């Protein structure tokens, strides 16, 4: 565990991100749980904890400075990405973690319990069937296309100042030319993830 702490601290320094010791402890604890549960539950294709720090933790929290609002829903969260790392680094915000698979929600409830995360709410449900409040931010990391995200999640966004935050690899130029009526592009942020030699972008959309 101490090696992971050292690696995380180094990665955070590279990204110029400042966190408390408790936040670092929670992030490493989450990686440790992900690694243990992965053997039985197959939650992620990333097998090594050291790679999880780069591909899951840092890949998630570099988005934090670009988020606006206090109430977010992470749709298709899987094992809690990017929602859990973001909830750890943004303790004053609330995150609903939405996934349709029971084993992932069971894992997230255990994460919530073991790490003492009072600002996450794991919910087993398909995005298009979720009913309830609207959110300042609708976050997705694994949706196939912006079209699908908007089709299934449009009802989740607050009508005033609501935003869609789509984590992408390369800029989805073609998808951006096909945005549905009533949706406009706010901006595309280029993200830099230490030790990750792949493109990362954040596409921010809003309801007009």
């Amino acid at each position: 565990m101490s090696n992971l702490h050292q690696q995380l601290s180094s990665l955070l320094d590279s990204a110029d991100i400042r966190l408390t010791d408790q936040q670092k402890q929670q992030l490493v604890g989450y990686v440790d749980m992900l690694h243990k549960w992965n053997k039985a539950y197959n939650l992620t294709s990333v097998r090594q904890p050291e790679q999880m720090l780069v591909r899951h933790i840092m890949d998630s929290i570099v988005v934090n400075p670009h988020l606006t609002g206090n109430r977010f829903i992470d749709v298709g969260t899987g094992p809690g990405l990017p929602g859990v790392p973001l909830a750890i680094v943004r303790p004053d915000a609330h995150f609903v973690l939405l996934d349709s698979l029971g084993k992932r929600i069971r894992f997230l409830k255990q994460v919530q319990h073991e790490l003492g995360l009072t600002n996450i709410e794991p919910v087993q449900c398909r995005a298009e069937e979720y009913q309830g409040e609207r959110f300042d931010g609708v976050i997705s990391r694994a949706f196939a296309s912006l079209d699908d995200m908007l089709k299934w999640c449009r009802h989740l966004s607050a009508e005033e100042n609501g935003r869609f935050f789509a984590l992408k690899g390369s800029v989805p130029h073609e998808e951006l030319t096909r945005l549905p009526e009533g949706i406009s592009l706010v901006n595309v942020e280029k993200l830099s993830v230490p030790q990750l030699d792949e493109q990362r972008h954040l596409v921010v959309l809003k309801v007009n």
Side-chain angles (χ1 to χ4, degrees), residues 46-197:
V46 180
R47 298 291 173 194
Q48 299 304 318
E50 296 78 11
Q51 278 298 304
M52 288 178 184
L53 283 179
V54 175
R55 293 187 162 273
H56 290 336
I57 302 301
M58 297 305 300
D59 200 31
S60 295
I61 65 177
V62 294
V63 174
N64 182 47
H66 307 291
L67 298 181
T68 52
N70 287 307
R71 296 191 67 79
F72 301 93
I73 184 165
D74 178 10
V75 292
T77 189
L81 297 164
V84 168
L86 285 171
I88 290 170
V89 303
R90 207 180 180 94
D92 294 337
H94 184 79
F95 290 81
V96 171
L97 308 179
L98 200 66
D99 202 273
S100 60
L101 274 190
K103 68 176 183 178
R104 293 172 182 160
I105 297 302
R106 284 194 293 280
F107 169 70
L108 288 171
K109 286 184 174 172
Q110 193 62 27
V111 167
Q112 183 180 30
H113 172 69
E114 285 194 28
L115 300 184
L117 296 179
T118 57
N119 63 332
I120 65 169
E121 183 185 338
V123 177
Q124 185 178 350
C125 185
R126 296 173 67 86
E128 62 269 34
E129 293 167 0
Y130 182 85
Q131 297 296 326
E133 64 187 302
R134 290 171 174 253
F135 295 88
D136 300 324
V138 180
I139 303 171
S140 80
R141 185 173 185 246
F143 266 74
S145 69
L146 295 176
D147 287 349
D148 286 345
M149 180 191 186
L150 293 165
K151 182 169 66 180
W152 293 326
C153 304
R154 190 162 174 168
H155 67 291
L156 302 175
S157 175
E159 291 180 0
E160 279 195 36
N161 301 319
R163 295 285 185 271
F164 296 93
F165 299 99
L167 284 69
K168 294 285 190 179
S170 55
V171 180
H173 293 290
E174 190 181 332
E175 292 176 31
L176 288 170
T177 65
R178 302 195 308 264
L179 291 179
E181 194 174 329
I183 299 286
S184 61
L185 176 67
V186 177
N187 55 355
V188 177
E189 299 283 354
K190 188 171 191 230
L191 304 171
S192 177
V193 181
Q195 296 183 20
L196 189 65
D197 191 23

Side-chain angles (χ1 to χ4, degrees), residues 4-5 8-10 12-13 16-29 57 61 64 85 87-92 115 117:
L4 287 182
H5 270 286
L8 176 60
S9 292
S10 174
L12 291 168
D13 287 344
D16 201 24
I17 295 172
R18 303 278 170 262
L19 297 179
T20 66
D21 287 342
Q22 183 191 9
Q23 287 171 316
K24 292 179 187 177
Q25 187 79 39
Q26 286 175 319
L27 289 170
V28 170
I57 302 301
I61 65 177
N64 182 47
I88 290 170
V89 303
R90 207 180 180 94
D92 294 337
L115 300 184
L117 296 179

